[in-house]
Amino acid sequence: LAHGLERKLFDVGRVCTVLDGKTMRLGISKDLPHDVQGRAENLGRSSHVAKLLNDSGLICFASFVAPTEESRQHAVSVIGKDNCYLIYLNPPLETCKLRDPSGLYTAAETAESADIPGISFPYEAPQTAALELDTAALSIDECIDQVIKLMRSENIV
């Protein structure tokens, strides 16, 4: 979704980028574990990067698993509530398992990993989100359209 949004907005002349958890863990956050605390710290570091990107004039689509309300609220406080819109992707767990591009759920089922939100530790649904998308029921294009509609309503694009 984040990369689709980036492409669509880039095609109409908007300067934007994607910041995602997997990429962050290849560099800035490679020293962190994949447990609750490590995920929170990764999100915290990433929030500072997103703020720097926003301050430079870029629209930053930050794509992260943020399993706790506390970590999400910290991200909002770093980026700023006027520049941070929480989009909650909410497919059923079975859909996550079917799509599993990184093999996380398969690893969890074979006990190779015990650090999967919603499986080995709780995932707290956001208390407040600007938009909630059931990505099992909506196509990627429908999701992109919903996010762009939100961005237009907030005068971002």
Side-chain angles (χ1 to χ4, degrees), residues 12-134:
V12 295
R14 299 303 230 159
V15 181
C16 50
T17 192
V18 172
L19 185 65
D20 68 53
K22 188 173 184 179
T23 302
M24 291 294 293
R25 286 186 173 277
L26 294 173
I28 293 173
S29 295
K30 67 182 175 185
D31 61 319
L32 298 175
H34 287 269
D35 59 10
V36 174
Q37 293 81 13
R39 287 179 186 277
E41 178 61 22
N42 182 42
L43 185 60
R45 292 176 186 183
S46 301
S47 299
H48 287 281
V49 174
K51 181 173 176 17
L52 290 171
L53 293 168
N54 281 167
D55 289 348
S56 297
L58 279 79
I59 295 170
C60 178
F61 296 108
S63 177
F64 291 87
V65 174
T68 67
E69 186 65 24
E70 181 180 345
S71 64
R72 289 186 292 269
Q73 289 309 311
H74 177 72
V76 171
S77 73
V78 169
I79 297 166
K81 65 180 171 90
D82 293 336
N83 291 322
C84 186
Y85 294 84
L86 197 68
I87 311 297
Y88 175 34
L89 305 184
N90 188 17
L93 183 57
E94 288 308 311
T95 300
C96 295
K97 289 179 180 181
L98 287 172
R99 292 180 180 165
D100 197 15
S102 300
L104 294 174
Y105 293 98
T106 301
E109 288 175 1
T110 60
E112 293 174 26
S113 173
D115 295 320
I116 312 295
I119 301 280
S120 55
F121 58 86
Y123 179 89
E124 301 171 5
Q127 295 174 8
T128 57
L131 187 61
E132 181 175 345
L133 301 170
D134 179 351

